[in-house]
Amino acid sequence: MALTDEQAWTLTSAGLVALADGVLKGGEATRILGLASEQVPAEEQDAWIDRFADAAALWEFARGLPRPPAERAPEVLRRAWSIALVDGEGSAEEAEVLGRVGELLGVDREQLTGWRKAWTAEANELAQYVAAFAAMMLHRRADAAREPMQPIDADGRAEFAALLARLPLREPRRNRALRLLDQAPTLDELGGALQLAEPERRGRALEEIARLVRSSNHAAVGRQLFLALTARMGLDQEVARVILG
């Protein structure tokens, strides 16, 4: 199935932001390729990967795309900005590129600046929920393999550190998140924090956690834990299974 105009704009905008400093860094490349694999038919993926290697060609492609409906522009730009947040905060160059993309979409720069600040704060919050759940998965897996309450082993710590490197967290927050390996939150603590979040943000958090579960090498443990978490939150389990995919 061919991409919709919105999907094409999402991929193009994300690619342009990733190339803002002239280099497609590791975390950015992972996110870009993840977006491509989610949205692009297999037969078109090579063409998109080639586009991501050439900023000038990508700008030319963007200028030829039909503008999506105005109400969809914020979501396109939000997903593009998420690429800039792989290192915890976007750069001035990435913000400038996002502004130029916003102009192509008919979005005022001042309004976009406000959105960008809100998206950055939200991404940091969501990343903390994902990190907490990932730590819970590691503890649950370790408890099943060994005697309960034993420390996470070196492989588990390396796996968690690699995840944190891909999340939009600044270095101080990453360092604090590492402490979760020694004392993970409980289901009640994480569920309570999610219930206090605004409904839309809570929904995004559950989607991000579900994405983590689907991509994990320990999906069975993750699914069980996700269903237990959502049950504590009072979420209908059929709805929870739909989110899990």
Side-chain angles (χ1 to χ4, degrees):
M1 182 181 297
L3 291 179
T4 65
D5 291 341
E6 181 178 337
Q7 288 173 322
W9 267 109
T10 297
L11 287 170
T12 302
S13 303
L16 289 168
V17 169
L19 291 168
D21 57 3
V23 179
L24 194 61
K25 292 176 284 191
E28 294 169 338
T30 299
R31 291 294 296 271
I32 288 287
L33 294 176
L35 281 174
S37 63
E38 286 176 8
Q39 300 186 29
V40 180
E43 64 273 14
E44 296 181 25
Q45 289 184 13
D46 286 346
W48 276 97
I49 290 171
D50 289 342
R51 286 192 188 106
F52 293 145
D54 187 341
L58 203 53
W59 276 115
E60 189 65 26
F61 182 76
R63 294 186 186 99
L65 285 173
R67 182 182 289 183
E71 65 271 15
R72 299 305 302 162
E75 181 61 18
V76 169
L77 294 166
R78 184 189 69 80
R79 297 198 73 178
W81 186 242
S82 73
I83 301 299
L85 296 177
V86 294
D87 58 357
E89 57 183 340
S91 67
E93 293 82 4
E94 288 163 331
E96 172 60 24
V97 167
L98 191 75
R100 290 174 60 192
V101 173
E103 289 174 348
L104 291 178
L105 294 172
V107 175
D108 176 75
R109 283 212 178 211
E110 185 174 349
Q111 183 178 44
L112 180 54
T113 297
W115 290 349
R116 181 165 48 78
K117 290 178 179 178
W119 294 333
T120 300
E122 178 184 2
N124 273 267
E125 181 181 338
L126 296 185
Q128 292 177 73
Y129 295 139
V130 171
F133 188 88
M136 291 168 63
M137 282 178 60
L138 283 170
H139 280 279
R140 182 67 62 93
R141 194 183 84 207
D143 286 350
R146 304 190 305 273
E147 292 184 12
M149 306 306 293
Q150 293 299 306
I152 302 296
D153 62 21
D155 288 343
R157 288 178 178 274
E159 179 182 330
F160 190 65
L163 169 68
L164 293 182
R166 299 193 301 271
L167 291 176
L169 292 169
R170 297 180 182 179
E171 197 62 30
R173 288 187 182 274
R174 283 199 180 102
N175 291 334
R176 286 199 295 273
L178 285 170
R179 300 173 192 166
L180 295 170
L181 291 174
D182 299 312
Q183 187 172 6
T186 65
L187 283 172
D188 286 336
E189 288 170 340
L190 180 55
L194 286 167
Q195 285 180 304
L196 289 174
E198 297 176 356
E200 183 177 351
R201 189 165 295 190
R202 181 166 60 246
R204 287 192 192 279
L206 290 175
E207 289 171 2
E208 290 296 323
I209 292 171
R211 185 174 290 112
L212 169 71
V213 171
R214 290 194 297 271
S215 64
S216 170
N217 293 326
H218 317 288
V221 171
R223 290 181 67 87
Q224 182 184 53
L225 195 58
F226 184 88
L227 292 174
L229 172 66
T230 52
R232 296 288 179 93
M233 295 169 60
L235 184 67
D236 183 275
Q237 292 297 275
E238 287 305 313
V239 174
R241 289 186 177 89
V242 169
I243 296 172
L244 269 175

